[in-house]
Amino acid sequence: MLALFETPAGYALFKVSDASKVEKCEDLIDEFETYNKASKMVNLIAFSAFEDTAAAVAAASDIVDGKLSKSLKKFLTKNIVKKSLNDKLAVCDSKLGSSIREKLDIKCLNDNGVMELMRGIRLQIDNLLTGIDDKSLKMMRLGLSHSLGRYKLKFTPDKVDTMVVQAIGLLDDLDKEINTYSMRVREWYGWHFPEMGKIITDNWIYAKCVMEIGTRENCHKTELSHIINDPIVESSLKENAEVSMGTEITESDLSTITELAEQVVELSNYRAQLYEYLKNRMAAIAPNLTILLGELVGARLIAHAGSLMNLAKHPSSTVQILGAEKALFRALKSKKETPKYGLIYHASLIGQSNPKNKGKISRSLAAKSALAIRYDALGDDSNTTIGLESRAKIEAKIRSLQGNVKSVVSKVQIKKYDSKVAMNQTDSKSGVPPIYNAKFDSVVTGVGEMDLDEKEAKKKMKKEKKEKKRKAMEIEGNDEPTTAVVAENAEESEKKSK
């Protein structure tokens, strides 16, 4: 038996002297208590050192992923395949063993005995490797751990969603600041030109107009077509500027208001750039969740959970009410109805549905979103098939709930086929029974006919039962013999029901 062991310095291939002890796995660690015992158990037959730290990091990352690197393939081909060794190869990773078996046709082992063998070799690796002292091996181990840590930190998806969490937090802060600054610009400049606030409702356009116009006397000679796309709004603004009832302001006041308007424009432009960045990040980290809920709602769910992996651990019921924790505990404390949705309420699919169907759609959307989140967090590829199929199913459900389509059979009396009656109704000349009559087929009619007929029949049955009980109570109240009266009432009720 051969054993492949990966060290920070390179690949090592050992020859196991007694393979029966590895198979039995009984007190195997005792064979590695000392160097003398370990040297009798395993012998180093080949060693391939790494060229530099970059090669060591690449080899370690391939082994972690279960891939057969070029350097390892070359090492095994030289020492096993070309020497025509038929011994089994003990490896510490089952995925790596399957890769070696497929590409080099070498039988590999990975069981409890192999893991104990690797544990013993690791215990005496400093003494088993010749030509490398302990100090240099420790330095290699430390450098490889730092390099591999930086490599994993750079490419791990858990660190990418940190950017999403920070971006959505900054986006919400920017929205608050832009609204505050815009309202201050409107109130401040409204003392000079109050009519402008009703004509222009968009904050960004309002701030740009303040920067372009200045005082209202300059409005009629200022070109605003590059800011205001509607010529009617532009002409209305110029007309109102001539008859405005606002007060006069000084140049210093105007410069202060203009600087504040510039801040609004700059923050709005930066907000648009940040949204594009968030959109691209969400498409890369959680494409299926983005298709179902959108960039903003998906990012808020990730931020609320802390990371995409934490969100993937939540069940669909938690995803549905995530963000409405206060309302949930308030409802549980007061024994009232619990909330049906939290942050997921702002998704476009729930906005498309009717108010009475929002609860059903939010439950279905949360279930599909939980599956999409787990695929995005744990899947190896960035396939969006699950998101597209789930969105199509939910849209179809919304249409079915809004249409309320039901196939209802109309109330038609269908006569049963009787062979004797059919023979009697044969044509006297030809002796052939009559042709199949399609009038007796059940016909699908409008929605609600059968429901109304069933409700009327149930109401009649309830009324008849009440009448029977009332008459029975009246009969019990009288001492006279009333058997004949009871029989007459029963016959009348049976006729009515028929």
Side-chain angles (χ1 to χ4, degrees):
M1 179 186 286
L2 300 175
L4 176 65
F5 191 81
E6 306 87 16
T7 66
Y11 299 114
L13 189 65
F14 292 94
K15 176 69 176 178
V16 182
S17 58
D18 191 357
S20 60
K21 292 183 179 180
V22 178
E23 294 175 357
K24 291 179 181 179
C25 188
E26 294 179 358
D27 299 330
L28 187 60
I29 196 66
D30 296 337
E31 300 293 332
F32 293 91
E33 287 182 353
T34 61
Y35 171 67
N36 294 328
K37 290 183 177 181
S39 61
K40 293 178 182 179
M41 187 67 187
V42 293
N43 295 319
L44 181 67
I45 60 175
F47 181 77
S48 175
F50 295 128
E51 295 178 358
D52 51 8
T53 308
V57 171
S61 61
D62 289 337
I63 291 172
V64 169
D65 297 334
K67 298 178 182 179
L68 181 63
S69 61
K70 292 182 179 179
S71 59
L72 180 59
K73 185 178 180 180
K74 185 178 178 181
F75 175 71
L76 294 176
T77 304
K78 179 181 177 181
N79 296 285
I80 297 178
V81 178
K82 289 184 178 181
K83 292 181 180 180
S84 301
L85 298 178
N86 296 324
D87 296 348
K88 295 181 180 179
L89 182 64
V91 294
C92 60
D93 189 17
S94 59
K95 291 183 180 179
L96 180 62
S98 61
S99 301
I100 295 172
R101 190 185 305 111
E102 290 175 1
K103 295 183 179 181
L104 298 178
D105 196 16
I106 299 174
K107 294 181 180 180
C108 298
L109 288 177
N110 179 257
D111 52 11
N112 293 332
V114 172
M115 299 307 293
E116 287 293 323
L117 177 63
M118 295 297 173
R119 182 184 172 192
I121 294 173
R122 189 179 294 108
L123 188 63
Q124 297 291 337
I125 190 64
D126 297 340
N127 299 321
L128 291 173
L129 289 179
T130 58
I132 302 175
D133 56 346
D134 297 344
K135 187 176 181 181
S136 59
L137 189 61
K138 288 180 180 179
M139 293 298 294
M140 291 178 185
R141 191 179 292 118
L142 183 62
L144 179 61
S145 62
H146 281 273
S147 301
L148 189 62
R150 284 194 294 268
Y151 177 81
K152 287 294 179 182
L153 185 65
K154 182 179 179 181
F155 293 103
T156 179
D158 292 335
K159 298 304 173 185
V160 178
D161 58 22
T162 304
M163 305 300 173
V164 172
V165 172
Q166 298 297 330
I168 191 63
L170 179 58
L171 196 71
D172 292 338
D173 294 339
L174 281 175
D175 288 336
K176 294 178 182 177
E177 294 298 326
I178 290 171
N179 288 332
T180 304
Y181 286 9
S182 300
M183 295 307 298
R184 185 62 60 191
V185 169
R186 285 177 175 273
E187 291 179 3
W188 207 342
Y189 194 73
W191 287 99
H192 178 62
F193 193 0
E195 293 83 4
M196 184 175 168
K198 295 181 180 179
I199 298 171
I200 300 175
T201 56
D202 187 79
N203 293 330
W204 184 83
I205 297 176
Y206 189 94
K208 290 286 288 184
C209 290
V210 170
M211 294 168 59
E212 290 289 333
I213 294 172
T215 57
R216 62 172 184 265
E217 289 81 8
N218 302 326
C219 185
H220 67 281
K221 58 183 179 181
T222 305
E223 184 64 30
L224 300 173
S225 58
H226 62 284
I227 300 173
I228 303 173
N229 297 325
D230 193 354
I232 299 174
V233 175
E234 183 181 358
S235 61
S236 176
L237 182 65
K238 292 180 179 180
E239 290 174 359
N240 282 276
E242 296 177 357
V243 294
S244 177
M245 300 296 292
T247 59
E248 297 293 333
I249 57 175
T250 61
E251 289 294 330
S252 61
D253 297 334
L254 182 61
S255 63
T256 307
I257 297 171
T258 306
E259 289 176 0
L260 184 58
E262 289 176 357
Q263 292 290 328
V264 173
V265 173
E266 290 176 1
L267 288 175
S268 300
N269 294 335
Y270 178 66
R271 198 254 183 208
Q273 295 177 6
L274 185 64
Y275 177 73
E276 287 296 325
Y277 167 79
L278 180 63
K279 187 177 179 181
N280 296 332
R281 278 292 184 187
M282 284 298 296
I285 184 177
N288 294 288
L289 180 63
T290 305
I291 291 171
L292 280 172
L293 301 180
E295 298 86 8
L296 295 177
V297 179
R300 286 193 175 95
L301 286 175
I302 293 173
H304 196 82
S307 67
L308 184 64
M309 190 60 67
N310 291 341
L311 185 62
K313 296 175 184 178
H314 291 319
S316 60
S317 57
T318 305
V319 174
Q320 182 180 351
I321 60 169
L322 206 64
E325 289 83 2
K326 289 184 179 179
L328 174 65
F329 292 119
R330 192 188 306 118
L332 292 174
K333 187 176 180 180
S334 58
K335 296 181 180 180
K336 294 182 180 179
E337 293 184 357
T338 56
K340 297 179 181 178
Y341 24 66
L343 292 170
I344 203 172
Y345 177 79
H346 300 286
S348 60
L349 288 173
I350 296 180
Q352 294 173 10
S353 58
N354 294 331
K356 63 179 181 180
N357 298 327
K358 286 185 185 294
K360 296 180 180 178
I361 299 302
S362 65
R363 185 165 58 251
S364 302
L365 184 60
K368 298 294 184 183
S369 300
L371 293 176
I373 292 163
R374 288 164 191 170
Y375 186 85
D376 291 333
L378 305 172
D380 295 332
D381 55 353
S382 59
N383 192 6
T384 58
T385 306
I386 292 178
L388 295 172
E389 291 178 355
S390 301
R391 188 177 181 90
K393 289 179 182 178
I394 293 173
E395 287 175 350
K397 186 174 183 179
I398 291 172
R399 288 193 295 269
S400 65
L401 288 173
Q402 289 178 350
N404 198 15
V405 180
K406 292 182 181 179
S407 60
V408 183
V409 180
S410 63
K411 189 177 180 181
V412 178
Q413 293 181 355
I414 302 172
K415 297 182 179 179
K416 293 183 178 180
Y417 179 78
D418 192 353
S419 60
K420 295 180 180 179
V421 176
M423 290 300 295
N424 294 331
Q425 292 179 352
T426 55
D427 193 354
S428 59
K429 295 181 180 180
S430 61
V432 180
I435 300 171
Y436 175 75
N437 193 357
K439 292 181 180 180
F440 296 116
D441 288 345
S442 60
V443 183
V444 177
T445 60
V447 179
E449 283 188 17
M450 191 173 181
D451 295 340
L452 293 174
D453 294 337
E454 289 179 355
K455 288 180 181 179
E456 291 177 359
K458 287 180 181 179
K459 286 182 180 179
K460 287 182 181 179
M461 291 293 292
K462 287 182 180 179
K463 285 183 181 180
E464 289 175 0
K465 286 181 181 179
K466 287 181 180 179
E467 287 291 331
K468 287 181 182 179
K469 288 182 180 179
R470 186 179 59 80
K471 289 180 180 179
M473 293 295 291
E474 290 178 355
I475 290 167
E476 288 177 0
N478 298 325
D479 295 330
E480 298 177 357
T482 56
T483 55
V485 176
V486 172
E488 289 177 1
N489 291 332
E491 290 177 359
E492 289 178 1
S493 63
E494 287 178 1
K495 289 179 181 179
K496 287 181 180 179
S497 62
K498 289 180 181 178

Coordinates of all heavy atoms in Angstrom, one line a residue, residues 227-285:
I227 N -33.7 70.3 -19.2 CA -34.1 69.8 -17.9 C -35.5 69.3 -17.9 O -35.8 68.2 -17.4 CB -33.8 70.9 -16.9 CG1 -32.4 71.4 -16.9 CG2 -34.2 70.4 -15.5 CD1 -32.1 72.6 -16.0
I228 N -36.4 70.1 -18.4 CA -37.8 69.8 -18.4 C -38.2 69.3 -19.8 O -38.1 70.0 -20.8 CB -38.7 71.0 -18.0 CG1 -38.3 71.6 -16.7 CG2 -40.2 70.7 -18.0 CD1 -39.0 72.9 -16.3
N229 N -38.6 68.1 -19.9 CA -38.9 67.5 -21.2 C -40.3 67.9 -21.8 O -40.5 67.9 -23.0 CB -38.9 66.0 -21.1 CG -37.5 65.4 -20.8 OD1 -36.5 66.0 -21.2 ND2 -37.5 64.3 -20.0
D230 N -41.2 68.3 -20.9 CA -42.5 68.7 -21.3 C -42.5 70.2 -21.6 O -42.3 71.0 -20.7 CB -43.5 68.4 -20.2 CG -45.0 68.5 -20.7 OD1 -45.2 68.9 -21.9 OD2 -45.9 68.1 -19.9
P231 N -42.8 70.6 -22.9 CA -42.8 72.1 -23.2 C -44.0 72.8 -22.5 O -43.9 74.0 -22.3 CB -43.0 72.1 -24.7 CG -43.5 70.8 -25.1 CD -43.0 69.8 -24.1
I232 N -45.1 72.1 -22.2 CA -46.2 72.8 -21.6 C -45.9 73.2 -20.2 O -46.2 74.3 -19.7 CB -47.5 71.8 -21.6 CG1 -47.9 71.5 -23.0 CG2 -48.6 72.4 -20.8 CD1 -49.0 70.4 -23.1
V233 N -45.1 72.3 -19.5 CA -44.7 72.6 -18.1 C -43.7 73.8 -18.1 O -43.8 74.7 -17.2 CB -44.1 71.4 -17.5 CG1 -43.5 71.7 -16.1 CG2 -45.1 70.2 -17.3
E234 N -42.8 73.8 -19.1 CA -41.9 74.9 -19.2 C -42.5 76.2 -19.4 O -42.2 77.2 -18.8 CB -40.9 74.6 -20.3 CG -39.8 75.6 -20.5 CD -38.8 75.3 -21.6 OE1 -39.0 74.2 -22.2 OE2 -37.9 76.1 -21.8
S235 N -43.5 76.3 -20.3 CA -44.2 77.5 -20.6 C -45.1 78.0 -19.4 O -45.1 79.2 -19.1 CB -45.1 77.3 -21.8 OG -46.1 76.3 -21.6
S236 N -45.7 77.0 -18.7 CA -46.4 77.3 -17.5 C -45.5 77.9 -16.4 O -45.9 78.9 -15.7 CB -47.2 76.1 -17.0 OG -47.8 76.4 -15.8
L237 N -44.3 77.4 -16.3 CA -43.4 77.9 -15.3 C -43.0 79.3 -15.6 O -42.9 80.2 -14.7 CB -42.1 77.0 -15.3 CG -41.1 77.3 -14.2 CD1 -41.6 77.2 -12.8 CD2 -39.8 76.4 -14.4
K238 N -42.7 79.6 -16.9 CA -42.3 81.0 -17.3 C -43.5 82.0 -17.1 O -43.3 83.1 -16.7 CB -41.8 81.0 -18.7 CG -40.5 80.2 -18.9 CD -40.0 80.2 -20.3 CE -38.7 79.5 -20.4 NZ -38.2 79.5 -21.8
E239 N -44.7 81.5 -17.4 CA -45.9 82.4 -17.2 C -46.1 82.8 -15.7 O -46.4 83.9 -15.4 CB -47.1 81.8 -17.8 CG -47.1 81.7 -19.3 CD -48.3 80.9 -19.8 OE1 -49.1 80.4 -19.0 OE2 -48.4 80.7 -21.0
N240 N -45.9 81.7 -14.8 CA -46.1 82.0 -13.4 C -45.0 82.8 -12.8 O -45.2 83.5 -11.8 CB -46.3 80.7 -12.7 CG -47.6 80.0 -12.8 OD1 -48.6 80.3 -12.1 ND2 -47.7 79.1 -13.8
A241 N -43.8 82.8 -13.4 CA -42.7 83.5 -12.9 C -43.0 85.0 -13.1 O -42.5 85.9 -12.3 CB -41.4 83.1 -13.6
E242 N -43.7 85.4 -14.1 CA -44.0 86.8 -14.3 C -45.0 87.4 -13.4 O -45.0 88.6 -13.1 CB -44.4 87.0 -15.8 CG -43.4 86.7 -16.8 CD -43.9 86.8 -18.2 OE1 -45.1 87.1 -18.4 OE2 -43.1 86.6 -19.2
V243 N -45.9 86.6 -12.9 CA -47.0 87.1 -12.0 C -46.8 86.4 -10.6 O -47.8 86.3 -9.9 CB -48.3 86.7 -12.6 CG1 -48.6 87.5 -13.8 CG2 -48.5 85.3 -12.8
S244 N -45.6 86.0 -10.2 CA -45.4 85.4 -8.9 C -45.7 86.3 -7.8 O -45.4 87.5 -7.8 CB -44.0 84.8 -8.9 OG -43.8 84.2 -7.6
M245 N -46.1 85.8 -6.6 CA -46.4 86.5 -5.4 C -45.4 86.4 -4.4 O -45.5 86.8 -3.2 CB -47.8 86.1 -4.8 CG -49.0 86.2 -5.8 SD -49.3 87.9 -6.2 CE -49.9 88.5 -4.6
G246 N -44.2 85.8 -4.8 CA -43.1 85.6 -3.8 C -42.4 86.9 -3.4 O -42.5 87.9 -4.1
T247 N -41.6 86.8 -2.4 CA -40.8 87.9 -1.9 C -39.5 88.0 -2.6 O -39.0 87.0 -3.2 CB -40.6 87.8 -0.4 OG1 -39.9 86.6 -0.1 CG2 -41.9 87.7 0.4
E248 N -38.8 89.1 -2.4 CA -37.5 89.3 -3.0 C -36.4 88.8 -2.1 O -36.6 88.8 -0.9 CB -37.3 90.8 -3.3 CG -38.3 91.4 -4.3 CD -38.1 90.9 -5.7 OE1 -37.0 90.5 -6.0 OE2 -39.1 90.9 -6.4
I249 N -35.4 88.3 -2.7 CA -34.2 87.7 -2.0 C -32.9 88.4 -2.5 O -32.9 88.9 -3.6 CB -34.1 86.2 -2.1 CG1 -34.0 85.8 -3.6 CG2 -35.3 85.5 -1.4 CD1 -33.7 84.3 -3.7
T250 N -31.9 88.4 -1.6 CA -30.7 89.0 -2.0 C -29.7 88.0 -2.7 O -30.1 86.8 -2.8 CB -30.0 89.5 -0.7 OG1 -29.7 88.4 0.2 CG2 -30.8 90.5 0.0
E251 N -28.6 88.5 -3.2 CA -27.7 87.6 -3.9 C -27.0 86.6 -3.0 O -26.8 85.4 -3.3 CB -26.6 88.5 -4.5 CG -27.1 89.3 -5.7 CD -27.5 88.4 -6.9 OE1 -26.9 87.3 -7.0 OE2 -28.4 88.8 -7.7
S252 N -26.8 87.0 -1.7 CA -26.2 86.0 -0.8 C -27.2 84.9 -0.4 O -26.8 83.7 -0.3 CB -25.8 86.8 0.5 OG -27.0 87.4 1.1
D253 N -28.5 85.3 -0.3 CA -29.5 84.2 -0.1 C -29.6 83.3 -1.2 O -29.7 82.0 -1.1 CB -30.9 84.9 0.2 CG -30.9 85.7 1.4 OD1 -30.1 85.5 2.3 OD2 -31.7 86.7 1.4
L254 N -29.5 83.8 -2.5 CA -29.6 83.0 -3.7 C -28.4 82.0 -3.8 O -28.6 80.9 -4.2 CB -29.7 83.9 -4.9 CG -29.9 83.1 -6.2 CD1 -31.1 82.3 -6.3 CD2 -29.8 84.1 -7.4
S255 N -27.2 82.5 -3.4 CA -26.0 81.7 -3.5 C -26.1 80.5 -2.5 O -25.7 79.4 -2.8 CB -24.8 82.5 -3.3 OG -24.8 83.1 -2.0
T256 N -26.6 80.8 -1.3 CA -26.8 79.7 -0.3 C -27.7 78.7 -0.8 O -27.5 77.5 -0.6 CB -27.2 80.3 1.0 OG1 -26.3 81.4 1.4 CG2 -27.2 79.3 2.1
I257 N -28.9 79.2 -1.3 CA -29.9 78.2 -1.8 C -29.3 77.4 -3.0 O -29.6 76.2 -3.1 CB -31.2 79.0 -2.2 CG1 -31.8 79.6 -1.0 CG2 -32.2 78.0 -2.9 CD1 -32.9 80.6 -1.4
T258 N -28.6 78.0 -3.9 CA -28.0 77.3 -5.0 C -27.0 76.3 -4.6 O -26.9 75.2 -5.2 CB -27.3 78.4 -6.0 OG1 -28.2 79.4 -6.3 CG2 -26.8 77.7 -7.2
E259 N -26.2 76.6 -3.6 CA -25.2 75.6 -3.1 C -26.0 74.3 -2.5 O -25.5 73.2 -2.7 CB -24.4 76.2 -2.0 CG -23.3 77.2 -2.5 CD -22.6 77.9 -1.4 OE1 -22.8 77.5 -0.2 OE2 -21.7 78.7 -1.7
L260 N -27.1 74.6 -1.8 CA -27.9 73.5 -1.3 C -28.5 72.7 -2.4 O -28.5 71.4 -2.4 CB -29.0 74.0 -0.4 CG -29.8 72.9 0.3 CD1 -29.0 72.0 1.2 CD2 -30.9 73.6 1.2
A261 N -28.9 73.3 -3.5 CA -29.5 72.6 -4.6 C -28.4 71.8 -5.3 O -28.7 70.7 -5.8 CB -30.1 73.6 -5.6
E262 N -27.2 72.3 -5.4 CA -26.1 71.5 -6.0 C -25.8 70.2 -5.2 O -25.5 69.2 -5.7 CB -24.8 72.4 -6.0 CG -24.9 73.5 -7.0 CD -23.6 74.4 -7.0 OE1 -22.8 74.1 -6.1 OE2 -23.5 75.3 -7.8
Q263 N -26.0 70.3 -3.8 CA -25.8 69.1 -3.0 C -26.9 68.1 -3.3 O -26.6 66.9 -3.4 CB -25.9 69.5 -1.5 CG -24.7 70.4 -1.0 CD -23.4 69.6 -1.0 OE1 -23.4 68.4 -0.7 NE2 -22.3 70.3 -1.2
V264 N -28.1 68.6 -3.6 CA -29.2 67.6 -3.9 C -28.9 66.9 -5.2 O -29.1 65.7 -5.4 CB -30.5 68.4 -4.0 CG1 -31.6 67.5 -4.5 CG2 -30.9 68.9 -2.6
V265 N -28.4 67.7 -6.2 CA -28.1 67.1 -7.5 C -27.0 66.1 -7.4 O -27.0 65.0 -8.0 CB -27.8 68.2 -8.5 CG1 -27.3 67.6 -9.9 CG2 -29.0 69.1 -8.8
E266 N -25.9 66.5 -6.7 CA -24.8 65.6 -6.6 C -25.2 64.3 -5.8 O -24.7 63.2 -6.2 CB -23.6 66.3 -5.8 CG -23.0 67.4 -6.6 CD -21.9 68.1 -5.8 OE1 -21.7 67.7 -4.6 OE2 -21.3 69.1 -6.3
L267 N -25.9 64.4 -4.8 CA -26.4 63.2 -4.0 C -27.3 62.3 -4.9 O -27.2 61.1 -4.8 CB -27.1 63.6 -2.7 CG -26.2 64.2 -1.6 CD1 -27.1 64.6 -0.4 CD2 -25.2 63.1 -1.1
S268 N -28.1 63.0 -5.7 CA -29.0 62.2 -6.6 C -28.2 61.4 -7.6 O -28.5 60.3 -7.9 CB -30.0 63.1 -7.2 OG -30.8 63.8 -6.3
N269 N -27.2 62.1 -8.2 CA -26.4 61.4 -9.2 C -25.6 60.2 -8.5 O -25.4 59.2 -9.1 CB -25.4 62.4 -9.8 CG -26.1 63.4 -10.6 OD1 -27.2 63.2 -11.1 ND2 -25.5 64.6 -10.8
Y270 N -25.1 60.5 -7.3 CA -24.3 59.4 -6.7 C -25.3 58.2 -6.3 O -24.9 57.1 -6.3 CB -23.6 59.9 -5.4 CG -22.9 58.9 -4.6 CD1 -21.8 58.3 -5.1 CD2 -23.3 58.5 -3.3 CE1 -21.1 57.3 -4.4 CE2 -22.7 57.5 -2.6 CZ -21.6 56.9 -3.2 OH -20.9 56.0 -2.5
R271 N -26.5 58.6 -6.0 CA -27.5 57.5 -5.6 C -27.8 56.7 -6.8 O -27.9 55.4 -6.7 CB -28.8 58.2 -5.1 CG -29.7 57.3 -4.4 CD -30.9 56.9 -5.2 NE -31.8 56.1 -4.4 CZ -32.6 55.2 -5.0 NH1 -32.6 55.0 -6.3 NH2 -33.4 54.5 -4.3
A272 N -27.8 57.3 -8.0 CA -28.0 56.5 -9.3 C -26.9 55.6 -9.5 O -27.0 54.4 -9.9 CB -28.3 57.4 -10.4
Q273 N -25.6 56.0 -9.3 CA -24.4 55.2 -9.5 C -24.4 54.0 -8.5 O -24.1 52.9 -8.8 CB -23.2 56.0 -9.3 CG -23.0 57.1 -10.4 CD -21.8 58.0 -10.1 OE1 -21.0 57.7 -9.2 NE2 -21.6 59.0 -11.0
L274 N -24.8 54.3 -7.2 CA -24.8 53.3 -6.2 C -25.9 52.2 -6.5 O -25.7 51.0 -6.3 CB -25.1 53.9 -4.8 CG -25.0 53.0 -3.6 CD1 -23.6 52.5 -3.5 CD2 -25.5 53.7 -2.4
Y275 N -27.0 52.6 -7.1 CA -28.0 51.7 -7.4 C -27.6 50.7 -8.5 O -27.8 49.5 -8.5 CB -29.3 52.4 -7.9 CG -30.4 51.5 -8.3 CD1 -31.1 50.7 -7.4 CD2 -30.7 51.3 -9.7 CE1 -32.1 49.8 -7.8 CE2 -31.7 50.5 -10.1 CZ -32.4 49.7 -9.1 OH -33.4 48.9 -9.6
E276 N -26.8 51.3 -9.5 CA -26.3 50.4 -10.6 C -25.3 49.4 -10.0 O -25.2 48.3 -10.4 CB -25.6 51.3 -11.6 CG -26.6 52.1 -12.5 CD -27.5 51.1 -13.3 OE1 -27.0 50.1 -13.8 OE2 -28.7 51.5 -13.6
Y277 N -24.4 49.9 -9.1 CA -23.5 49.0 -8.4 C -24.2 47.9 -7.7 O -23.8 46.7 -7.8 CB -22.6 49.8 -7.5 CG -21.8 49.0 -6.5 CD1 -20.6 48.4 -6.9 CD2 -22.2 48.8 -5.2 CE1 -19.8 47.7 -6.1 CE2 -21.4 48.1 -4.3 CZ -20.2 47.5 -4.8 OH -19.5 46.8 -3.9
L278 N -25.3 48.3 -6.9 CA -26.0 47.3 -6.2 C -26.7 46.3 -7.1 O -26.8 45.1 -6.8 CB -27.0 48.0 -5.3 CG -27.9 47.1 -4.4 CD1 -27.1 46.3 -3.4 CD2 -29.0 47.9 -3.7
K279 N -27.2 46.8 -8.2 CA -27.9 45.9 -9.2 C -26.9 44.9 -9.8 O -27.3 43.7 -9.9 CB -28.4 46.8 -10.3 CG -29.3 46.1 -11.3 CD -29.9 47.1 -12.3 CE -30.7 46.4 -13.4 NZ -31.3 47.3 -14.4
N280 N -25.7 45.3 -10.1 CA -24.7 44.4 -10.6 C -24.3 43.4 -9.6 O -24.1 42.2 -9.9 CB -23.5 45.1 -11.2 CG -23.8 46.0 -12.3 OD1 -24.8 45.8 -13.1 ND2 -23.1 47.2 -12.5
R281 N -24.1 43.8 -8.3 CA -23.7 42.9 -7.3 C -24.8 41.9 -7.0 O -24.4 40.7 -6.8 CB -23.4 43.7 -6.0 CG -22.0 44.4 -5.9 CD -21.0 43.3 -5.8 NE -19.7 43.9 -5.7 CZ -18.5 43.2 -5.7 NH1 -18.6 41.9 -5.9 NH2 -17.4 43.7 -5.5
M282 N -26.0 42.3 -7.0 CA -27.1 41.3 -6.7 C -27.2 40.3 -7.8 O -27.6 39.1 -7.6 CB -28.4 42.1 -6.5 CG -28.5 42.7 -5.1 SD -28.5 41.6 -3.8 CE -30.0 40.6 -4.1
A283 N -27.0 40.8 -9.1 CA -27.1 39.8 -10.2 C -26.0 38.8 -10.2 O -26.1 37.7 -10.7 CB -27.0 40.6 -11.5
A284 N -24.8 39.2 -9.5 CA -23.7 38.2 -9.4 C -23.8 37.3 -8.2 O -23.5 36.1 -8.3 CB -22.4 39.0 -9.3
I285 N -24.3 37.8 -7.1 CA -24.3 37.0 -5.9 C -25.6 36.2 -5.7 O -25.6 35.0 -5.3 CB -24.1 37.9 -4.6 CG1 -24.0 37.0 -3.4 CG2 -25.2 38.9 -4.5 CD1 -23.8 37.8 -2.1

